[in-house]
Amino acid sequence: MATRTDAPTRREQILKEAARLFAERGFHGVGVDEIGAAVGISGPGLYRHFAGKDAMLAELLVGISGQLLTGAKRRLQEADGSAADTVLDSLIEGHIDFALDDRPLITLHDRELDRLRDSDRKLVRQLQRQYVELWVEVVREVYPGLAEPAARSAVHSVFGLLNSTPHLGRPGSLPGRAGTAELLHRMARGAFAAAGA
């Protein structure tokens, strides 16, 4: 979602506003009329794009998990032959882009994942496991002495660090996007270095 530069489609606009509203007020605290008003259409007009709020939530959470995995695979392909350190930096940069640009989706995942149908929740978890395993492989290349369970724990810990962005305070209180990204990157590498020491 964050990497596109062309104009968003109406469907993407609806999803973006739904994510923002769900993150601010909770899934049950938002009606379809409010989501429609946020994008300039009637609430019932949303049903031309989505079957309902449940479908929006599923597309948001399954979608971002799929996008993270696809982005990580793309970064691995683009870095083919590069040093493992370079690949790890690229993965970190990709996740930081998500953490800074899609903050409502982090909040939404934390609060609303259990509201998904079982099949959608299982798909989210499956995509997330694949994403983690890509990272674990790269981390173990950079730190070969790190056992697989410890590498997996380190990856989850770094995700926790990077995904803390919704709790960083008001946007104006941060050192700017570039400064925040640089800080998060240093902290992520520091965490991996500590795990691999």
Side-chain angles (χ1 to χ4, degrees), residues 84-156:
D85 272 316
T86 303
V87 177
L88 182 56
D89 284 334
S90 180
L91 288 175
I92 292 169
E93 288 164 12
H95 199 95
I96 288 171
D97 285 343
F98 157 68
L100 291 177
D101 297 337
D102 292 315
R103 291 165 68 175
L105 289 176
I106 296 171
T107 301
L108 197 58
H109 179 277
D110 289 346
R111 288 188 197 157
E112 312 291 355
L113 181 64
D114 288 343
R115 297 197 191 288
L116 292 181
R117 294 179 307 173
D118 284 346
S119 59
D120 289 329
R121 190 170 50 252
K122 286 177 183 174
L123 179 55
V124 167
R125 293 297 191 203
Q126 178 186 14
L127 292 167
Q128 289 174 339
R129 278 192 299 275
Q130 292 175 41
Y131 183 62
V132 167
E133 292 312 309
L134 288 177
W135 279 69
V136 168
E137 187 176 322
V138 174
V139 167
R140 292 193 72 211
E141 285 181 41
V142 176
Y143 303 101
L146 195 58
E148 188 172 320
R152 192 168 289 108
S153 293
V155 167
H156 281 289

Side-chain angles (χ1 to χ4, degrees), residues 46-63:
L46 288 178
Y47 293 110
R48 285 193 297 263
H49 302 278
F50 295 96
K53 285 193 328 178
D54 290 335
M56 288 180 222
L57 182 64
E59 187 159 331
L60 284 164
L61 295 181
V62 172

